Amino acid sequence: MRDDIFTKRRNDNLRFFLVLIILTVGSIIITNYDVIKGFSSIAKALIWGGSNFYPDVKSLRILPEILPKLQETILMSIAATTVASVFALFLSLAGSKTTRLNRIFSIISRGIASLFRNIPLVAWAMVLMLAFSQSPLTGYLALFFASLGFLTRAFMETIDEVGNNSIEALQATGANYFHIIFQAVLPASMPQMISWLLFMIETNIRDATLVGVLTGTGIGFSFDLYYKRFDYHAASLVVVFIVITVIFIEFVSNNIRRVIL
Amino acid sequence: MALLELKNVTKYYNQTIPALEDVSFSVDEGEFVSIIGPSGAGKSTLLRCINRMVEASSGEISVDGVISSSLTKKKLRALRTKIGMIFQHYNLVDRLTVIENVLHGRLGYKSTLAGILGRYSQEEKNQAFQIIKILGLEEQVYKRCDQLSGGQKQRVGIARALIQNPKIILCDEPIASLDPNAAKLIMDHLRNISTEMGITVIVNLHQVEIALKYSDRIIGVNKGKVVFDGLPCDLTAAQIQAIYGSESEDVSFDLGERHAG
Ligand SMILES: Nc1ncnc2c1ncn2[C@@H]1O[C@H](COP(=O)(O)OP(=O)(O)OP(=O)(O)O)[C@@H](O)[C@H]1O
Ligand SMILES: [Mg+2]
């Protein structure tokens, strides 16, 4: 009996790798992807980047232009994320199995969460652009919707993890629904939720750049502008600033996490 | 009149086998009652029907003269304030401090807003400190509950129940996760609560010898039916056999020590 389990496991693993190999080779053949050329062009890209794509002293002249744009992007990301988190909190409370009021609301809010989460950010931006054209509002809403989907899902899992135990205990004391939410569910899940919120802000600052390229706003627009003018030094300076910002934000949020978790 | 009275209580979770079948008994003020029986006998279900954490399918339960099955939500909350509950896994909000967890026992008396904000009167706080002191937790008052030992957590659970000023305390396997020393301390506290404060204590136990040692009365449950209801000194080996059925060989018991009454 025992041997059977081991043989079965080994065969399962073999089958899994076989399928993986077939998928890989199959997709390479179908898409005419030249593996060798793919890797060798990475080297080429690096060489080009090293000789052209670096900030020089002259590019520093654009600082007064890009710093306000950078600020706009950061603030927009934070605003979109925090507002989304408020809505996500309500949706997740309505959706979680432990705190839901009834099944219908739960299904609706789970549905909203998975729909919003599965529409890519770029698709949101494109669709919203039809409605609001190229404006900061478009970028803001795109980030908002994508964050709402993700945060609802993350919050819902956080609440589920808190579990039923303390909820049951408070119910037994005669506490009502709102008491239980504010005295047991939120205190237990808040640190994890804030951690998700910080993660989402980090992600959104990165993504806001991409959205900015599409919607013509913020730091992404600056990058696009300089890049299309073949001013690679200025464009690379923009990238450097984005990277520094993201690293800085990550550093700050890691410190916040350390304190609250 | 009896403080707690069950008449023909039956509970079906599904249509086939009842978890409780035609259970009737009554309990007086200040009585210490142990409910024993094999795993799956319906002990937890029985306890939870008393404070309507589980809805009985039929039959009548009255607590302190109030028939519980027909109560509105608000009246049910008021009834639950009279019934404390203690759990095997303590069911505390681990991230909150001892005092905060203890004060949760007052939520049943609070308006929605006062409960949400966690506003407790000075009197309530004083009472909380007093109970914490009785249970020997004064050094842990401001500690977070995830830093406590199992025995300490269970004492916090007892304190949370006591601050409700309950008439009955229901305990679902309160010592099943504790080592023998901590278990003895908890059982001694529960016994004192019954003897000195006149609060009725109903305890689900799976150790027969502890039930014999502490109880005024023992109720034996098997397959949802009460098969024994009497004094510890009347419980014979044959009756234990009947309660535990074929499993009784696995149940260790020592009929030596019994509560004197
Ligand atoms: N929520 C539920 N849904 C369906 N069936 C349940 C539920 N809770 C309990 N049961 C069933 O009801 C019966 C009694 O369960 P209960 O938990 O009351 O037993 P117990 O005596 O407390 O057992 P243990 O000593 O293992 O805690 C069991 O057969 C169990 O499978
Ligand atoms: Mg049980």
Side-chain angles (χ1 to χ4, degrees):
Chain A
M1 271 318 281
R2 236 153 233 265
D3 286 346
D4 279 348
I5 285 172
F6 288 121
T7 327
K8 188 175 172 301
R9 182 131 310 150
R10 204 188 55 218
N11 288 341
D12 281 352
N13 286 343
L14 278 176
R15 239 169 270 147
F16 175 74
F17 281 111
L18 206 65
V19 170
L20 204 64
I21 289 168
I22 292 171
L23 279 177
T24 311
V25 173
S27 25
I28 287 174
I29 291 170
I30 291 171
T31 57
N32 286 326
Y33 175 66
D34 186 337
V35 182
I36 297 167
K37 203 172 149 206
F39 279 106
S40 63
S41 55
I42 292 180
K44 235 192 271 171
L46 284 178
I47 292 166
W48 180 85
S51 50
N52 295 293
F53 203 73
Y54 59 87
D56 58 5
V57 182
K58 223 176 69 197
S59 67
L60 291 177
R61 82 196 130 71
I62 63 160
L63 276 185
E65 271 171 64
I66 61 167
L67 286 182
K69 293 277 187 194
L70 190 63
Q71 189 192 344
E72 182 193 330
T73 302
I74 294 172
L75 293 182
M76 186 179 82
S77 311
I78 293 177
T81 319
T82 46
V83 174
S85 74
V86 173
F87 286 89
L89 185 61
F90 286 110
L91 284 177
S92 61
L93 286 170
S96 163
K97 278 188 202 80
T98 50
T99 56
R100 69 184 185 191
L101 283 167
N102 65 48
R103 263 191 46 182
I104 310 220
F105 283 153
S106 170
I107 290 167
I108 292 173
S109 76
R110 275 168 191 272
I112 292 174
S114 72
L115 178 72
F116 282 23
R117 201 177 62 253
N118 288 312
I119 298 177
L121 184 66
V122 175
W124 275 118
M126 301 286 211
V127 171
L128 289 164
M129 224 151 32
L130 294 178
F132 300 103
S133 73
Q134 286 201 326
S135 74
L137 186 65
T138 309
Y140 175 83
L141 286 177
L143 289 176
F144 172 82
F145 284 125
S147 308
L148 181 64
F150 179 85
L151 286 176
T152 303
R153 172 66 192 272
F155 287 2
M156 210 138 46
E157 270 172 18
T158 307
I159 295 173
D160 284 344
E161 251 167 56
V162 170
N164 212 8
N165 278 357
S166 52
I167 295 177
E168 185 189 24
L170 260 61
Q171 247 168 11
T173 69
N176 71 20
Y177 179 78
F178 294 101
H179 295 164
I180 292 169
I181 298 296
F182 280 86
Q183 294 294 332
V185 177
L186 291 184
S189 46
M190 212 28 110
Q192 188 61 48
M193 285 182 179
I194 291 173
S195 176
W196 280 120
L197 175 68
L198 293 169
F199 169 80
M200 199 71 235
I201 289 177
E202 289 167 32
T203 312
N204 276 347
I205 287 176
R206 261 184 299 254
D207 290 351
T209 314
L210 178 64
V211 174
V213 173
L214 292 172
T215 62
T217 51
I219 194 75
F221 176 66
S222 304
F223 175 80
D224 200 35
L225 194 71
Y226 297 122
Y227 187 81
K228 282 183 179 153
R229 281 191 201 151
F230 307 109
D231 189 347
Y232 296 128
H233 296 304
S236 64
L237 187 71
V238 173
V239 172
V240 168
F241 267 92
I242 294 169
V243 170
I244 290 173
T245 308
V246 171
I247 290 174
F248 174 72
I249 298 278
E250 211 177 289
F251 173 78
V252 171
S253 59
N254 279 342
N255 277 306
I256 297 177
R257 267 191 206 107
R258 200 166 311 140
V259 174
I260 57 169
L261 281 181
Chain B
M1 205 183 71
L3 181 66
L4 168 70
E5 191 153 7
L6 281 79
K7 280 187 204 154
N8 314 106
V9 173
T10 298
K11 169 67 188 177
Y12 283 90
Y13 283 109
N14 47 45
Q15 304 307 309
T16 47
I17 323 155
L20 288 179
E21 194 178 352
D22 201 22
V23 171
S24 302
F25 62 85
S26 64
V27 181
D28 285 327
E29 214 172 292
E31 246 187 311
F32 191 114
V33 181
S34 291
I35 299 173
I36 58 173
S39 185
K43 305 183 293 295
S44 299
T45 305
L46 175 56
L47 223 53
R48 280 169 172 70
C49 281
I50 294 172
N51 58 0
R52 273 184 63 192
M53 298 298 286
V54 166
E55 299 283 351
S57 309
S58 65
E60 191 179 285
I61 299 171
S62 68
V63 180
D64 201 18
V66 179
I67 293 168
S68 70
S69 54
S70 57
L71 293 178
T72 58
K73 247 187 177 170
K74 206 171 158 197
K75 292 218 171 109
L76 176 62
R77 280 186 61 203
L79 182 77
R80 281 180 178 165
T81 62
K82 293 189 205 165
I83 308 172
M85 193 163 198
I86 291 165
F87 304 85
Q88 176 180 351
H89 300 292
Y90 327 120
N91 297 17
L92 307 174
V93 182
D94 275 340
R95 294 192 144 270
L96 297 181
T97 58
V98 168
I99 182 78
E100 287 170 300
N101 270 287
V102 172
L103 284 166
H104 280 168
R106 297 301 300 176
L107 287 173
Y109 293 97
K110 299 229 168 273
S111 70
T112 297
L113 192 64
I116 284 175
L117 299 175
R119 277 220 302 256
Y120 303 101
S121 70
Q122 195 55 46
E123 206 182 325
E124 286 171 321
K125 287 178 197 160
N126 290 343
Q127 200 197 348
F129 281 114
Q130 209 184 332
I131 291 170
I132 285 170
K133 207 169 154 204
I134 292 173
L135 293 169
L137 288 168
E138 57 272 58
E139 276 162 33
Q140 277 76 36
V141 178
Y142 297 111
K143 262 198 193 159
R144 262 169 58 159
C145 286
D146 47 15
Q147 295 167 359
L148 302 181
S149 71
Q152 290 170 331
K153 283 185 186 176
Q154 194 57 292
R155 280 182 276 158
V156 176
I158 295 176
R160 178 175 63 190
L162 281 180
I163 204 168
Q164 290 178 233
N165 294 328
K167 302 222 158 165
I168 305 178
I169 294 185
L170 308 172
C171 314
D172 195 4
E173 314 236 359
I175 55 170
S177 313
L178 299 177
D179 66 75
N181 287 331
K184 182 175 182 310
L185 187 70
I186 295 297
M187 288 310 293
D188 288 344
H189 276 304
L190 291 175
R191 182 66 240 186
N192 278 344
I193 285 165
S194 146
T195 311
E196 276 157 32
M197 304 183 189
I199 297 171
T200 300
V201 175
I202 304 178
V203 192
N204 280 354
L205 283 173
H206 60 239
Q207 303 97 320
V208 181
E209 65 275 28
I210 291 183
L212 289 170
K213 186 175 160 198
Y214 285 92
S215 319
D216 296 323
R217 187 171 142 203
I218 290 177
I219 293 175
V221 183
N222 185 311
K223 298 202 179 104
K225 284 191 198 136
V226 173
V227 293
F228 176 86
D229 183 353
L231 303 176
C233 56
D234 293 336
L235 187 65
T236 63
Q239 277 158 330
I240 291 173
Q241 177 92 37
I243 294 169
Y244 284 93
S246 55
E247 286 172 49
S248 60
E249 293 126 59
D250 303 333
V251 181
S252 75
F253 50 81
D254 152 25
L255 299 178
E257 203 179 355
R258 293 176 192 215
H259 185 64

